Amino acid sequence: MDRPAVINRTVQETDIWLNELREDMQAASKDTAYAALRAVLHELRDRLTVDEAAQLAAQLPMLVCGLYFNSWKPAANPTRVRTVQEFLDGVRDRAPGHEEIDPDLATRCVFALLARHVSPGEIDDVIQQLPMELRALWTSPGAKRSAIVEAAVTLVEIDRGTVLDEDAGRASPTPPTEVSR
Protein backbone atom coordinates (compact mmCIF):
# COMPACT_ATOMS: atom_id res chain seq x y z
CA MET A 1 0.00 0.00 0.00
CA ASP A 2 1.38 3.36 -1.02
CA ARG A 3 0.73 5.99 1.63
CA PRO A 4 2.61 9.05 2.85
CA ALA A 5 5.67 8.39 5.02
CA VAL A 6 4.17 10.41 7.90
CA ILE A 7 1.21 8.00 8.03
CA ASN A 8 3.52 4.97 7.97
CA ARG A 9 5.57 6.51 10.77
CA THR A 10 2.59 7.21 13.04
CA VAL A 11 1.20 3.72 12.44
CA GLN A 12 4.58 2.28 13.46
CA GLU A 13 4.86 4.54 16.52
CA THR A 14 1.34 3.70 17.64
CA ASP A 15 2.02 0.00 17.15
CA ILE A 16 5.13 0.33 19.33
CA TRP A 17 3.07 2.05 22.05
CA LEU A 18 0.36 -0.63 21.92
CA ASN A 19 2.91 -3.46 21.98
CA GLU A 20 4.68 -1.93 24.99
CA LEU A 21 1.41 -1.37 26.81
CA ARG A 22 0.18 -4.90 26.01
CA GLU A 23 3.42 -6.31 27.40
CA ASP A 24 3.39 -4.07 30.50
CA MET A 25 -0.23 -4.96 31.26
CA GLN A 26 0.21 -8.58 30.21
CA ALA A 27 -2.96 -8.01 28.21
CA ALA A 28 -4.43 -10.73 26.05
CA SER A 29 -4.71 -8.55 22.96
CA LYS A 30 -3.88 -5.23 21.36
CA ASP A 31 -7.60 -4.46 21.53
CA THR A 32 -7.39 -4.58 25.32
CA ALA A 33 -4.25 -2.44 25.29
CA TYR A 34 -5.97 0.07 22.97
CA ALA A 35 -9.06 0.24 25.20
CA ALA A 36 -6.86 0.81 28.27
CA LEU A 37 -4.78 3.48 26.51
CA ARG A 38 -7.89 5.30 25.33
CA ALA A 39 -9.67 5.12 28.71
CA VAL A 40 -6.68 6.35 30.72
CA LEU A 41 -5.75 9.09 28.25
CA HIS A 42 -9.34 10.39 28.22
CA GLU A 43 -9.58 10.40 32.02
CA LEU A 44 -6.20 12.16 32.28
CA ARG A 45 -7.01 14.64 29.50
CA ASP A 46 -10.24 15.65 31.20
CA ARG A 47 -8.41 16.24 34.49
CA LEU A 48 -5.94 18.69 32.88
CA THR A 49 -6.43 22.31 31.92
CA VAL A 50 -7.09 22.88 28.23
CA ASP A 51 -3.58 24.33 27.73
CA GLU A 52 -1.86 21.41 29.47
CA ALA A 53 -3.98 18.85 27.61
CA ALA A 54 -2.87 20.44 24.34
CA GLN A 55 0.79 20.52 25.40
CA LEU A 56 0.71 16.82 26.24
CA ALA A 57 -1.04 16.04 22.94
CA ALA A 58 1.76 17.75 21.01
CA GLN A 59 4.14 14.99 22.11
CA LEU A 60 1.91 12.04 21.23
CA PRO A 61 2.12 10.08 17.98
CA MET A 62 -0.43 11.43 15.48
CA LEU A 63 -2.81 8.44 15.80
CA VAL A 64 -2.59 8.46 19.60
CA CYS A 65 -3.21 12.22 19.52
CA GLY A 66 -6.35 11.58 17.47
CA LEU A 67 -7.73 9.07 19.96
CA TYR A 68 -6.71 11.40 22.81
CA PHE A 69 -8.84 14.24 21.42
CA ASN A 70 -11.74 12.03 20.29
CA SER A 71 -15.00 13.15 21.97
CA TRP A 72 -13.25 15.93 23.91
CA LYS A 73 -15.33 18.74 25.39
CA PRO A 74 -12.78 21.38 26.45
CA ALA A 75 -15.38 23.63 28.06
CA ALA A 76 -16.05 20.92 30.67
CA ASN A 77 -12.42 20.66 31.78
CA PRO A 78 -10.67 20.23 34.07
CA THR A 79 -12.95 17.85 35.93
CA ARG A 80 -13.02 17.82 39.71
CA VAL A 81 -11.69 14.27 40.07
CA ARG A 82 -9.57 14.46 43.23
CA THR A 83 -9.08 10.91 44.51
CA VAL A 84 -7.45 7.82 43.11
CA GLN A 85 -10.74 5.93 43.39
CA GLU A 86 -12.63 8.59 41.40
CA PHE A 87 -9.94 8.48 38.71
CA LEU A 88 -9.96 4.68 38.52
CA ASP A 89 -13.77 4.61 38.42
CA GLY A 90 -13.56 7.02 35.46
CA VAL A 91 -11.08 4.74 33.69
CA ARG A 92 -13.40 1.75 34.26
CA ASP A 93 -16.40 3.71 32.93
CA ARG A 94 -14.47 4.69 29.80
CA ALA A 95 -13.67 1.08 28.87
CA PRO A 96 -17.12 -0.48 28.39
CA GLY A 97 -17.00 -4.06 27.19
CA HIS A 98 -13.50 -4.53 28.59
CA GLU A 99 -14.16 -5.85 32.08
CA GLU A 100 -10.80 -7.63 31.91
CA ILE A 101 -9.04 -4.27 32.34
CA ASP A 102 -7.82 -3.57 35.86
CA PRO A 103 -8.11 0.25 36.02
CA ASP A 104 -5.26 0.61 38.53
CA LEU A 105 -2.86 -1.53 36.48
CA ALA A 106 -3.96 0.12 33.23
CA THR A 107 -3.46 3.61 34.67
CA ARG A 108 -0.01 2.86 36.05
CA CYS A 109 1.05 1.17 32.80
CA VAL A 110 -0.22 4.02 30.60
CA PHE A 111 1.48 6.57 32.86
CA ALA A 112 4.72 4.56 32.64
CA LEU A 113 4.33 4.45 28.85
CA LEU A 114 3.89 8.22 28.74
CA ALA A 115 6.92 8.68 31.00
CA ARG A 116 9.02 6.65 28.54
CA HIS A 117 7.88 8.50 25.42
CA VAL A 118 7.06 12.07 26.52
CA SER A 119 9.69 14.55 27.68
CA PRO A 120 10.39 14.59 31.43
CA GLY A 121 9.54 18.30 31.58
CA GLU A 122 6.10 17.71 30.09
CA ILE A 123 5.44 14.78 32.42
CA ASP A 124 6.35 16.99 35.39
CA ASP A 125 3.97 19.67 34.08
CA VAL A 126 1.16 17.11 33.81
CA ILE A 127 1.86 15.72 37.29
CA GLN A 128 1.82 19.23 38.78
CA GLN A 129 -1.73 19.67 37.43
CA LEU A 130 -2.97 16.69 39.43
CA PRO A 131 -4.13 16.62 43.04
CA MET A 132 -1.54 15.17 45.43
CA GLU A 133 -3.27 11.78 45.75
CA LEU A 134 -3.40 11.23 41.98
CA ARG A 135 0.30 11.96 41.58
CA ALA A 136 1.13 8.67 43.27
CA LEU A 137 -0.35 6.81 40.27
CA TRP A 138 2.69 7.87 38.23
CA THR A 139 4.89 5.45 40.13
CA SER A 140 5.36 1.72 40.26
CA PRO A 141 7.74 -0.40 42.33
CA GLY A 142 11.21 -0.26 40.84
CA ALA A 143 10.39 2.61 38.47
CA LYS A 144 12.62 5.66 38.48
CA ARG A 145 10.72 8.54 40.02
CA SER A 146 11.11 12.21 39.30
CA ALA A 147 11.70 14.51 42.26
CA ILE A 148 8.12 15.83 42.03
CA VAL A 149 6.60 12.35 42.04
CA GLU A 150 8.90 11.25 44.86
CA ALA A 151 7.80 14.21 46.99
CA ALA A 152 4.12 13.61 46.20
CA VAL A 153 4.34 9.93 47.07
CA THR A 154 6.13 10.72 50.31
CA LEU A 155 3.45 13.24 51.32
CA VAL A 156 0.63 10.78 50.53
CA GLU A 157 2.43 8.04 52.45
CA ILE A 158 2.98 10.30 55.44
CA ASP A 159 -0.68 11.32 55.35
CA ARG A 160 -1.76 7.66 55.27
CA GLY A 161 0.84 6.60 57.84
CA THR A 162 2.62 4.30 55.38
CA VAL A 163 5.77 4.35 53.33
CA LEU A 164 6.54 2.26 50.26
CA ASP A 165 8.59 -0.81 51.11
CA GLU A 166 10.47 -0.87 47.81
CA ASP A 167 12.03 -4.28 48.53
CA ALA A 168 8.60 -5.87 48.95
CA GLY A 169 6.84 -3.58 46.46
CA ARG A 170 4.06 -2.72 48.91
CA ALA A 171 3.16 -0.19 51.56
CA SER A 172 4.11 -0.94 55.16
CA PRO A 173 2.73 0.72 58.29
CA THR A 174 5.06 3.32 59.71
CA PRO A 175 4.73 5.19 62.97
CA PRO A 176 3.45 8.72 62.26
CA THR A 177 6.59 10.30 63.68
CA GLU A 178 8.98 8.29 61.54
CA VAL A 179 9.45 8.38 57.78
CA SER A 180 11.99 6.04 56.28
CA ARG A 181 13.24 5.68 52.71
Side-chain angles (χ1 to χ4, degrees):
M1 182 184 304
D2 189 32
R3 57 184 170 206
V6 68
I7 300 297
N8 287 332
R9 187 170 41 257
T10 193
V11 168
Q12 288 174 334
E13 289 172 346
T14 301
D15 206 38
I16 289 168
W17 281 46
L18 290 174
N19 285 334
E20 286 181 22
L21 185 57
R22 180 180 176 199
E23 184 177 316
D24 290 349
M25 290 178 57
Q26 299 179 349
S29 70
K30 278 189 184 177
D31 287 336
T32 300
Y34 171 82
L37 179 64
R38 185 177 191 276
V40 173
L41 285 179
H42 282 187
E43 192 65 21
L44 176 62
R45 171 203 70 196
D46 289 352
R47 184 59 192 86
L48 301 175
T49 63
V50 172
D51 285 346
E52 194 55 49
Q55 290 171 20
L56 175 59
Q59 294 195 31
L60 303 176
M62 188 186 326
L63 283 177
V64 176
C65 184
L67 81 89
Y68 176 77
F69 280 128
N70 184 258
S71 302
W72 191 36
K73 297 180 176 94
N77 296 318
T79 61
R80 296 201 183 271
V81 171
R82 305 222 34 96
T83 69
V84 168
Q85 192 57 56
E86 289 172 328
F87 191 91
L88 298 179
D89 289 346
V91 170
R92 180 180 292 109
D93 293 346
R94 292 173 187 267
H98 288 278
E99 289 73 27
E100 75 278 15
I101 294 175
D102 172 357
D104 182 69
L105 176 64
T107 299
R108 291 175 189 278
C109 289
V110 169
F111 286 178
L113 180 74
L114 289 171
R116 286 192 302 268
H117 292 281
V118 174
S119 73
E122 182 55 34
I123 294 300
D124 283 346
D125 289 349
V126 168
I127 291 169
Q128 287 178 359
Q129 291 262 316
L130 301 175
M132 208 51 98
E133 186 174 338
L134 294 180
R135 294 177 188 187
L137 289 171
W138 282 86
T139 65
S140 62
K144 184 177 179 184
R145 299 175 176 174
S146 74
I148 292 171
V149 172
E150 190 67 38
V153 169
T154 300
L155 289 173
V156 169
E157 290 169 349
I158 290 169
D159 186 52
R160 291 183 177 162
T162 61
V163 294
L164 183 64
D165 180 349
E166 292 180 0
D167 294 330
R170 58 183 160 64
S172 303
T174 301
T177 59
E178 176 186 327
V179 176
S180 60
R181 273 279 173 216

